[in-house]
């Protein structure tokens, strides 16, 4: 698998024009800045004595949800460390609702909040971005003793005080753990299942919204090639109804807290490769993940009660570092030829 991304790949990828514009700027301007900025001084840090940490998490909801259990364990083992989060507006709700340990949660796509971060001093900045330059360049200019991040590109490696390996074939939570190696977190204590807390008000609201035995079905995804079509939604709905289950189809009409509560009360969650898939696993519901262009080995929820449906093809996965670059001219056989009968939906890993 080719694990590099070029400018043409960004233009060819399945993303909105807005995302392509900003990622293109990151590629062109970020590459230039990373090449001319001085290398990090590689100064030594006693990681066991640090008190102030900034964790940078750009991107969407899925990465943020998978990262949460790792930071939870970090705070559990080192309760005296003060943690700030620097994220984006599109994943801010994850941290604002779930990160009880946070001191502050800032958005780097809000200029006034960036100013606040630039005026603070941290012992360590941990950049959890896997590929792009913006976050590591920002981290480079912050007042800090050490900057930790993934050394996935030459420019990123130059700017980091501690560069970590990134395994393109590993479950993403295990990659995030590499960033916290100086603190020797206990991996066996870190689980996505049950890591999401649903507040009582949302739980009560969800019970009023829908009751009885039901399954949640979601085709919501920012990338069109990952979505189910109407025929597939109808097929899954009928299969679930044959098991005397109501079907609650998520269509983006609720906030994240409400969605999490609806999912938590369900018998099962069936959804495409998206952030909600990880939210469902995090609230402790059995999950069936439907994967097409995405990387099953990297993003499928782990655990015996979860299961993933995917159609392995020579061209799949066609996603790397968040970029989906199909070669099938819109046919998407990895999604359209899936086996979606009830036996496959309910099959669990052994």
């Amino acid at each position: 698998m080719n694990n590099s991304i070029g400018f043409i790949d960004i233009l060819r990828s399945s993303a909105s024009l807005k995302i392509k514009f900003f990622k293109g700027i990151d590629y062109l301007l970020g590459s230039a800045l990373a090449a001319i900025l001085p290398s990090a001084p590689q100064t030594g840090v006693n990681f066991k004595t640090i008190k102030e940490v900034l964790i940078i998490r750009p991107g969407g909801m899925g990465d943020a949800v998978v990262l949460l259990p790792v930071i939870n364990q970090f705070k559990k083992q080192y309760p005296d460390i003060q943690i700030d989060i620097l994220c984006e507006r599109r994943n801010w709700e994850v941290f604002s609702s779930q990160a009880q340990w946070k001191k502050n949660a800032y958005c780097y796509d809000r200029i006034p909040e960036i100013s606040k971060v630039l005026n603070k001093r941290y012992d360590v900045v941990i950049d959890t971005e896997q590929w792009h330059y913006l976050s590591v360049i920002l981290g480079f200019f912050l007042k800090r003793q050490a900057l930790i991040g993934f050394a996935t590109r030459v420019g990123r490696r130059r700017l980091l005080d501690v560069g970590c390996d990134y395994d393109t074939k590993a479950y993403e939570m295990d990659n995030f753990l590499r960033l916290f190696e100086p603190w020797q977190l206990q991996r066996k204590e870190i689980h996505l299942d049950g890591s999401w807390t649903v507040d009582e008000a949302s739980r009560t609201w969800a019970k009023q919204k829908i009751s009885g035995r039901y399954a949640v079905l979601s085709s919501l995804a920012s990338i069109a090639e990952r979505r189910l079509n109407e025929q597939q939604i109808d097929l899954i709905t009928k299969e679930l109804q044959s098991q005397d289950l109501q079907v609650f189809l998520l269509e983006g009409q609720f906030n994240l807290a409400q969605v999490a509560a609806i999912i938590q009360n369900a018998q099962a969650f069936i959804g495409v490769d998206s952030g909600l898939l990880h939210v469902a696993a995090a609230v402790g519901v059995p999950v069936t993940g439907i994967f097409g262009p995405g990387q099953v080995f990297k993003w499928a929820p782990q655990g015996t009660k979860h299961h993933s449906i995917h159609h392995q093809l020579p061209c799949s996965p066609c996603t790397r570092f968040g970029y989906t670059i199909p070669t099938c001219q819109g046919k998407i056989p990895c999604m359209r030829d899936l086996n979606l009968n009830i036996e496959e939906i309910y099959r669990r890993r052994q």
Side-chain angles (χ1 to χ4, degrees):
M1 182 193 301
N2 177 11
N3 291 312
S4 63
I5 296 291
F7 185 68
I8 299 301
D9 293 321
I10 295 173
L11 297 180
R12 291 176 51 233
S13 66
S14 298
S16 67
L17 290 176
K18 179 180 178 181
I19 290 178
K20 288 182 181 181
F21 174 78
F22 284 109
K23 298 307 183 186
I25 294 296
D26 182 283
Y27 185 90
L28 297 174
L29 182 59
S31 298
L33 286 173
I36 62 176
L37 288 172
S39 297
Q42 309 292 318
T43 55
V45 176
N46 184 349
F47 291 101
K48 297 297 177 66
T49 63
I50 67 166
K51 295 298 181 183
E52 298 284 341
V53 171
L54 175 70
I55 297 175
I56 305 176
R57 179 58 253 166
M61 185 193 308
D63 302 70
V65 177
V66 173
L67 175 63
L68 271 177
V70 177
I71 313 179
N72 288 343
Q73 184 63 25
F74 179 45
K75 183 63 175 179
K76 180 180 178 180
Q77 289 184 219
Y78 299 91
D80 293 335
I81 291 178
Q82 300 298 309
I83 301 173
D84 283 358
I85 292 289
L86 182 60
C87 55
E88 291 186 46
R89 277 175 284 188
R90 55 182 175 147
N91 64 14
W92 180 85
E93 196 173 0
V94 173
F95 296 109
S96 64
S97 68
Q98 295 300 302
Q100 291 80 10
W101 35 256
K102 70 182 182 302
K103 187 176 179 182
N104 299 288
Y106 302 106
C107 292
Y108 75 66
D109 43 359
R110 291 174 176 165
I111 299 301
E113 298 189 19
I114 279 286
S115 300
K116 293 178 182 178
V117 174
L118 287 169
N119 287 325
K120 297 188 68 172
R121 180 176 294 276
Y122 296 97
D123 296 319
V124 173
V125 174
I126 303 174
D127 175 26
T128 67
E129 166 58 39
Q130 298 93 331
W131 177 258
H132 297 105
Y133 278 124
L134 176 61
S135 56
V136 75
I137 292 173
L138 176 61
F140 181 85
F141 283 107
L142 293 178
K143 301 169 186 175
R144 80 289 187 279
Q145 293 185 50
L147 174 61
I148 300 175
F150 291 120
T152 46
R153 303 167 76 176
V154 174
R156 286 185 60 88
R157 187 180 301 115
R158 290 184 63 254
L159 301 180
L160 295 167
D161 297 290
V162 180
C164 300
D165 292 334
Y166 181 86
D167 188 346
T168 58
K169 296 184 178 180
Y171 180 43
E172 201 65 351
M173 185 182 291
D174 292 327
N175 275 318
F176 287 142
L177 269 167
R178 295 169 185 263
L179 300 172
F180 294 83
E181 283 183 356
W183 296 276
Q184 299 179 334
L185 301 189
Q186 299 173 22
R187 177 63 178 92
K188 65 180 181 179
E189 300 294 325
I190 302 173
H191 307 284
L192 183 60
D193 279 23
S195 62
W196 190 280
T197 301
V198 178
D199 65 272
E200 189 60 37
S202 296
R203 188 180 294 112
T204 300
W205 173 88
K207 288 179 179 178
Q208 295 171 346
K209 185 69 179 177
I210 182 170
S211 59
R213 297 180 71 252
Y214 66 93
V216 173
L217 173 60
S218 174
S219 185
L220 297 173
S222 58
I223 297 172
E225 285 83 357
R226 298 184 183 184
R227 301 171 193 158
L228 301 169
N229 61 23
E230 291 185 8
Q231 291 78 15
Q232 289 175 309
I233 291 173
D234 288 342
L235 173 61
I236 295 173
T237 298
K238 291 176 181 176
E239 294 284 285
L240 292 169
Q241 290 172 339
S242 73
Q243 304 298 305
D244 296 323
L245 285 170
Q246 301 178 69
V247 177
F248 193 96
L249 181 63
L250 284 178
E251 297 179 315
Q253 65 271 50
F254 308 114
N255 63 41
L256 185 56
Q258 293 171 331
V259 169
I262 289 172
I263 295 172
Q264 188 179 58
N265 291 339
Q267 304 299 307
F269 176 91
I270 300 91
V272 297
D273 178 14
S274 71
L276 290 181
L277 193 72
H278 307 295
V279 172
V283 299
V285 170
V287 166
T288 297
I290 301 174
F291 283 80
Q295 299 168 311
V296 180
F297 48 83
K298 180 168 289 297
W299 293 109
Q302 306 293 293
T304 57
K305 69 180 180 181
H306 305 310
H307 165 55
S308 296
I309 301 173
H310 59 100
H311 187 24
Q312 190 65 42
L313 296 172
C315 59
S316 63
C318 60
T319 296
R320 52 187 187 270
F321 290 111
Y323 291 99
T324 295
I325 310 170
T327 59
C328 58
Q329 290 76 49
K331 297 178 182 178
I332 330 173
C334 59
M335 284 295 291
R336 300 300 169 243
D337 296 343
L338 289 170
N339 180 4
L340 298 176
N341 62 39
I342 197 65
E343 290 80 12
E344 186 64 18
I345 290 171
Y346 269 0
R347 184 169 65 85
R348 299 283 176 249
R349 291 181 184 153
Q350 301 301 318

